[in-house]
Amino acid sequence: MAGPIRRIGVLTGGGDCPGLNAVIRAVVKTAINEYDWEVLGIEDGFEGLIQPGRVRQLTRADVRDILPRGGTILGTTNRANPFHYEVEVDGEVKVFDVSDDVVRHAQVLGMDALVVIGGDGSLHIAHELMQKGLKVVGVPKTIDSDLQGTVITFGFDTAVNTAMDALDKLSTTAESHHRVIILEVMGRDAGWIALKAGIAGGADAILIPEIPYDLDVVADKIARRNRGGAKFSIVVAAEGARPVDGKAVYQAEREIGGARRLGGIGEVLARQLRERCRVEVRVTVLGHLQRGGSPTAFDRLLASRFGTMAVHLIAQGKLGHMVALQDECIIAVPIAEAVAQQKFVPLNSDILLTAFGLDVCLGNSREVIEKMQAGE
Ligand code: F6P
């Protein structure tokens, strides 16, 4: 690295999740305590490097008391990709490449390196900016836990606990009323939250994007429970779950700079199960409750370890790398590797075996799932 480091930047990009503030706090404290560097906080993800006046110095005082707080003190957005920056001009959406401006802005600010705390979208951008000369280190975050290279991301544990808590509560009311209750959880392409919260919360059926579901199989599970005397059932559906012969359900068209919004699978399933099983069905959509609130102890610790290590990586010149958890240790993996593909629930996961052992319906028959697993 050319010259000594004096000042680094930090930003949070993409959807928020519990633990972001714990990372920011660890970055600021480690940079000041261990290296005597200045830290600049960039507001609202890459938007803060696109627009002027959105950068402020972060001191120890700025990060006091933020460890237990959800959200991010810096703000975030999932709509500011500098390589594809969408702006509405006279009612028309125009796309600009402002990536050179971002690199220049960082230089003008005297930023020797930038810590990007983000999911695959933000880390992708970070990787591309690195090719343009911006020195970056990544910190993986996402409640979906679908990033390669790290066993887990912070935010996921809190989200799973929130969903499990909802399942505990829904189970008692479902049992009282002899109903089927469907809990729709987040999980665009990967079903980690649905699967882990579903097992932890005692769900009877869990539908994940990785296993297209067959409604007959789900209906049969509910009927078997009714015949067996358990006259209620709990179904967890990831928002990205889809039937074998159908598509995922979207609740809204794409907004400027954003992605098309998933949602509504719970209601679709409810209609179909009402008809098929002649049962009362209710739906709860957990939505952004999963992204808010105070991080669990696990997430606070992981986020703090990630933040501290990100600063050490800069000092070691390990730019273009992302901190990651592997075998109980925080290590560095190339950002390029981490964003090359998403991490889906593997069909040979022992968690699926657990589900089979517990007689949890995974949306399709065991034979079909085993054939999928064998690649047939
Ligand atoms: O971070 C990913 C995610 O939590 C997805 O599971 C979900 O589809 C999306 O964020 C929702 O994002 P938004 O905040 O834009 O509604």
Side-chain angles (χ1 to χ4, degrees):
M1 181 178 300
I5 297 161
R6 282 193 308 271
R7 187 177 293 147
I8 63 169
V10 58
L11 65 79
T12 50
D16 69 346
C17 76
L20 288 171
N21 283 327
V23 182
I24 297 169
R25 173 178 175 268
V27 167
V28 171
K29 290 186 119 185
T30 308
I32 296 173
N33 294 340
E34 300 269 8
Y35 298 104
D36 205 18
W37 295 343
E38 269 181 28
V39 183
L40 300 179
I42 294 136
E43 293 172 5
D44 298 335
F46 291 103
E47 188 79 48
L49 286 175
I50 296 171
Q51 304 292 343
R54 307 277 288 271
V55 178
R56 63 181 194 263
Q57 192 179 339
L58 295 177
T59 63
R60 286 192 187 93
D62 292 306
V63 297
R64 197 164 291 142
D65 296 334
I66 67 170
L67 179 62
R69 261 168 67 186
T72 157
I73 58 163
L74 292 174
T76 187
T77 177
N78 43 19
R79 299 180 190 190
N81 180 349
F83 294 90
H84 193 94
Y85 191 58
E86 295 186 6
V87 185
E88 197 172 331
V89 185
D90 300 329
E92 205 189 314
V93 178
K94 298 214 163 138
V95 182
F96 301 93
D97 180 347
V98 294
S99 54
D100 288 333
D101 301 337
V102 164
V103 176
R104 241 188 327 268
H105 194 166
Q107 278 164 358
V108 170
L109 290 165
M111 214 186 280
D112 299 311
L114 173 66
V115 178
V116 175
I117 312 169
D120 63 341
S122 305
L123 292 175
H124 227 111
I125 295 168
H127 175 63
E128 287 181 63
L129 288 172
M130 179 91 190
Q131 317 307 310
K132 294 201 152 202
L134 189 69
K135 292 163 176 153
V136 298
V137 158
V139 175
K141 71 86 223 173
T142 158
I143 62 161
D144 295 344
S145 204
D146 55 357
L147 261 168
Q148 286 288 354
T150 184
V151 171
I152 199 165
T153 49
F154 63 89
F156 176 72
D157 186 63
T158 309
V160 168
N161 274 286
T162 299
M164 182 192 72
D165 187 42
L167 287 170
D168 287 349
K169 289 174 175 154
L170 293 173
S171 297
T172 58
T173 173
E175 184 170 18
S176 308
H177 285 266
H178 319 296
R179 285 172 170 159
V180 171
I181 295 194
I182 300 170
L183 178 67
E184 181 177 316
V185 297
M186 282 186 173
R188 177 167 277 276
D189 305 306
W192 292 108
I193 295 179
L195 185 62
K196 291 197 174 177
I199 301 281
D204 304 299
I206 302 171
L207 311 183
I208 60 175
E210 292 86 343
I211 304 175
Y213 67 86
D214 177 340
L215 197 70
D216 288 338
V217 175
V218 183
D220 181 58
K221 169 71 187 178
I222 292 167
R224 273 197 291 125
R225 276 181 60 80
N226 285 348
R227 282 198 302 275
K231 298 200 180 309
F232 75 102
S233 294
I234 297 291
V235 179
V236 181
E239 61 184 354
R242 54 188 160 270
V244 259
D245 48 1
K247 291 197 170 104
V249 184
Y250 288 88
Q251 62 165 309
E253 285 310 314
R254 194 175 165 276
E255 290 154 346
I256 295 175
R260 213 173 150 208
R261 203 137 36 93
L262 280 162
I265 183 69
E267 281 300 343
V268 170
L269 271 168
R271 267 199 305 278
Q272 294 170 334
L273 289 175
R274 260 180 220 122
E275 273 172 29
R276 200 67 74 103
C277 306
R278 303 256 155 241
V279 283
E280 253 193 289
V281 187
R282 294 289 186 271
V283 179
T284 295
V285 180
L286 206 49
H288 292 81
L289 282 175
Q290 293 158 99
R291 294 235 303 255
S294 189
T296 58
F298 179 90
D299 281 340
R300 290 182 200 191
L301 178 63
L302 183 62
S304 300
R305 292 170 78 194
F306 275 177
T308 291
M309 194 54 83
V311 173
H312 288 317
L313 289 191
I314 294 174
Q316 293 160 12
K318 283 212 148 175
L319 300 157
H321 281 68
M322 173 190 99
V323 292
L325 180 72
Q326 271 176 32
D327 299 328
E328 292 302 317
C329 295
I330 308 295
I331 57 150
V333 297
I335 296 178
E337 251 174 49
V339 299
Q341 54 179 357
Q342 274 178 294
K343 187 175 71 188
F344 301 113
V345 174
L347 296 182
N348 60 359
S349 161
D350 72 281
I351 307 176
L352 295 199
L353 272 187
T354 307
F356 293 140
L358 297 171
D359 193 23
V360 175
C361 167
L362 290 174
N364 219 316
S365 68
R366 188 163 180 173
E367 294 69 46
V368 169
I369 295 170
E370 279 170 356
K371 275 189 186 160
M372 286 172 66
Q373 190 183 325
E376 290 171 33

